[in-house]
Amino acid sequence: QVQLVESGGGVVQPGGSLRLTCEASGFTYSITTMSWVRQAPGKEIEWLLGISSGGNIINYEDSVKGRFRISRDNNKYMLYLQMNSLKPEDSAVYYCVKGGYGATTKGQGTQVTVRA
């Protein structure tokens, strides 16, 4: 069955960086578009970035443009989200998603908290 396991979250100061990883299994990862989303308490899911099987980047959210970078390793079935210049408003649970915008299969999430 499809499994997505996120890791790499934590507590970081404003301006800091984190790298999230997502380990995928149970499907043909190399031909699947993948995405990162986040959800803060009391808010709807926010789509951030997607990446096609061939590595084309899809920008869903302007507020992370230039600060966050998505990448993938098809050989290792891994998805990454490099987050730089983090802000308190970036605090949320971050999920990797199997598919593009609107897809619903995601992992258990990893908490990111940005605070001084």
Side-chain angles (χ1 to χ4, degrees):
Q1 71 278 20
V2 173
Q3 280 197 316
L4 300 166
V5 180
E6 301 93 338
S7 62
V11 179
V12 63
Q13 292 187 340
S17 298
L18 282 174
R19 188 194 195 207
L20 306 184
T21 63
C22 172
E23 186 171 358
S25 62
F27 62 101
T28 309
Y29 179 77
S30 62
I31 63 170
T32 304
T33 293
M34 298 293 294
S35 301
W36 285 99
V37 303
R38 67 186 180 190
Q39 189 168 27
K43 295 189 176 181
E44 294 188 353
I45 285 179
E46 187 175 36
W47 287 77
L48 303 176
L49 291 162
I51 185 167
S52 72
S53 58
N56 293 318
I57 306 300
I58 309 158
N59 291 294
Y60 298 124
E61 173 56 43
D62 285 344
S63 68
V64 304
K65 204 176 287 186
R67 299 189 298 123
F68 291 10
R69 186 175 73 249
I70 189 172
S71 61
R72 65 189 295 162
D73 185 330
N74 286 342
N75 292 324
K76 295 181 179 179
Y77 276 52
M78 296 291 288
L79 181 72
Y80 307 99
L81 183 68
Q82 177 66 44
M83 305 188 296
N84 300 322
S85 302
L86 283 161
K87 305 175 181 179
E89 52 263 43
D90 294 319
S91 298
V93 179
Y94 285 69
Y95 302 89
C96 67
V97 177
K98 174 181 173 289
Y101 186 84
T104 58
T105 302
K106 63 184 189 292
Q108 85 290 345
T110 186
Q111 175 71 48
V112 172
T113 302
V114 185
R115 65 167 182 242

